[in-house]
Amino acid sequence: MQIFYYINRSGNGHLTLRELKRGNLIDAMQHADEEEDINKVLRYFSYEHFYVIYCKFWELDTDHDFLIDKENLIRYGNHALTYRIVDRIFSQVARKFTSQVEGKMGYQDFVYFILSEEDKTSEPSLEFWFKCIDLDGNGVLTRNELNFFYEEQLHRMECMAQEPVLFEDILCQIIDMIGPENESYITLHDLKGCKLSGSVFNILFNLNKFMAFETRDPFLIRQERENPTLTEWDRFAHREYIRLSMEEDVEDASNGSAEVWDESLEAPF
């Protein structure tokens, strides 16, 4: 699924020869063939990446029917996303779901979502979120559209007793970050030409990442400096894989100790 996310830019589910030549799939396949440890091949074939995506999906899919609804997705990232952006995702304006079940997102749809959410620097991600924010579909993001999504963020900050950042200040910050050709609106071209575009989307609908950006989380900054060649997705997947593995180890250890305890209880007196 990652292959189609990054290479099949037309989104029709079929890779063309032109897309193959423009992409890095052939190089990645050659790397995978030569590398003994598949996890060192970060493009497309990493087991760690698959494991993280699958576990994240499984955590949200509480009834395990391989479908996710709005109420499931709103729990993603410890309730990081706003209801308004989740509504836009499920409106399928940015990308049609493949699940064919009304109001439900399938596993393939979730893969597309999580790759877009965890690496907002990639072109597919920028295009996805741009369509979500572009309420009237006219190809530009206006002040009103930005304000519509930020309103919920502002309300959430107030509910959490955080010092609210007013929209006027946020708008100035966004304009300074993006440097659009016309300051009265933002185009996709403006976003693709700026390294901070992902942070703009986080400001609008991901409160946890917005707070991390505002405080300039030193842990994240150190990670970026240590591994400048890794993408945001690579770093996220590595962190989550370690966390999930540790949780699994703890669970295995607790199950093992329970078995020992049971055996001691059954010992004859």
Side-chain angles (χ1 to χ4, degrees), residues 109-148:
D109 308 312
F110 180 76
V111 172
Y112 204 97
F113 158 77
I114 193 172
L115 292 175
S116 297
E117 169 55 26
E118 298 305 339
D119 186 359
K120 296 188 179 79
T121 63
S122 72
E123 284 206 5
S125 175
L126 292 175
E127 291 167 7
F128 180 83
W129 295 120
F130 185 89
K131 290 176 184 175
C132 285
I133 304 298
D134 185 14
L135 295 172
D136 56 10
N138 68 345
V140 298
L141 305 184
T142 63
R143 170 198 176 98
N144 289 341
E145 287 167 329
L146 299 178
N147 190 31
F148 173 79

Side-chain angles (χ1 to χ4, degrees), residues 39-69:
N39 280 317
K40 291 182 179 178
V41 184
L42 297 180
R43 297 284 74 77
Y44 314 124
F45 303 110
S46 167
Y47 171 75
E48 286 187 7
H49 291 188
F50 161 76
Y51 183 78
V52 167
I53 294 172
Y54 187 82
C55 288
K56 286 289 185 181
F57 182 83
W58 191 254
E59 287 173 357
L60 298 177
D61 180 22
T62 50
D63 58 3
H64 303 316
D65 62 350
F66 276 85
L67 294 168
I68 285 175
D69 60 20

Side-chain angles (χ1 to χ4, degrees), residues 162-174:
Q162 297 271 1
E163 184 178 351
V165 185
L166 299 179
F167 177 69
E168 294 298 330
D169 297 328
I170 283 296
L171 183 60
C172 290
Q173 186 177 359
I174 289 174

Side-chain angles (χ1 to χ4, degrees), residues 142-157:
T142 63
R143 170 198 176 98
N144 289 341
E145 287 167 329
L146 299 178
N147 190 31
F148 173 79
F149 287 95
Y150 186 71
E151 275 179 349
E152 191 175 344
Q153 290 281 67
L154 188 61
H155 178 67
R156 296 173 85 197
M157 281 187 274

Side-chain angles (χ1 to χ4, degrees), residues 15-215:
L15 291 180
T16 65
L17 182 59
R18 184 184 180 195
E19 286 173 330
L20 276 175
K21 287 180 176 178
R22 291 179 62 184
N24 59 355
L25 178 59
I26 304 301
D27 290 339
M29 292 174 72
Q30 188 173 355
H31 186 192
D33 188 50
E34 297 169 353
E35 178 58 62
E36 289 184 9
D37 184 358
I38 193 65
N39 280 317
K40 291 182 179 178
V41 184
L42 297 180
R43 297 284 74 77
Y44 314 124
F45 303 110
S46 167
Y47 171 75
E48 286 187 7
H49 291 188
F50 161 76
Y51 183 78
V52 167
I53 294 172
Y54 187 82
C55 288
K56 286 289 185 181
F57 182 83
W58 191 254
E59 287 173 357
L60 298 177
D61 180 22
T62 50
D63 58 3
H64 303 316
D65 62 350
F66 276 85
L67 294 168
I68 285 175
D69 60 20
K70 287 183 185 179
E71 292 306 312
N72 296 140
L73 192 64
I74 203 70
R75 294 189 294 108
Y76 180 83
N78 196 21
H79 295 80
L81 302 173
T82 62
Y83 281 96
R84 289 182 179 181
I85 199 64
V86 170
D87 282 342
R88 286 294 283 173
I89 293 168
F90 275 83
S91 74
Q92 302 179 47
V93 67
R95 179 181 179 274
K96 294 290 183 186
F97 290 169
T98 60
S99 69
Q100 298 182 335
V101 179
E102 189 174 351
K104 301 278 188 174
M105 169 189 284
Y107 181 72
Q108 287 186 10
D109 308 312
F110 180 76
V111 172
Y112 204 97
F113 158 77
I114 193 172
L115 292 175
S116 297
E117 169 55 26
E118 298 305 339
D119 186 359
K120 296 188 179 79
T121 63
S122 72
E123 284 206 5
S125 175
L126 292 175
E127 291 167 7
F128 180 83
W129 295 120
F130 185 89
K131 290 176 184 175
C132 285
I133 304 298
D134 185 14
L135 295 172
D136 56 10
N138 68 345
V140 298
L141 305 184
T142 63
R143 170 198 176 98
N144 289 341
E145 287 167 329
L146 299 178
N147 190 31
F148 173 79
F149 287 95
Y150 186 71
E151 275 179 349
E152 191 175 344
Q153 290 281 67
L154 188 61
H155 178 67
R156 296 173 85 197
M157 281 187 274
E158 291 169 346
C159 290
M160 294 171 63
Q162 297 271 1
E163 184 178 351
V165 185
L166 299 179
F167 177 69
E168 294 298 330
D169 297 328
I170 283 296
L171 183 60
C172 290
Q173 186 177 359
I174 289 174
I175 296 300
D176 288 342
M177 289 164 64
I178 301 298
E181 292 180 11
N182 188 322
E183 292 193 359
S184 60
Y185 56 80
I186 296 171
T187 66
L188 183 58
H189 182 263
D190 292 329
L191 291 171
K192 287 184 176 181
C194 173
K195 292 183 178 180
L196 294 173
S197 298
S199 298
V200 170
F201 289 125
N202 289 332
I203 288 170
L204 296 176
F205 56 74
N206 188 313
L207 188 58
N208 296 347
K209 290 181 180 178
F210 175 32
M211 292 292 103
F213 174 73
E214 285 290 290
T215 56

Side-chain angles (χ1 to χ4, degrees), residues 2 49 53 114-115 118-119 231-237:
Q2 287 191 53
H49 291 188
I53 294 172
I114 193 172
L115 292 175
E118 298 305 339
D119 186 359
T231 66
E232 287 188 19
W233 165 253
D234 293 334
R235 283 190 280 268
F236 166 80

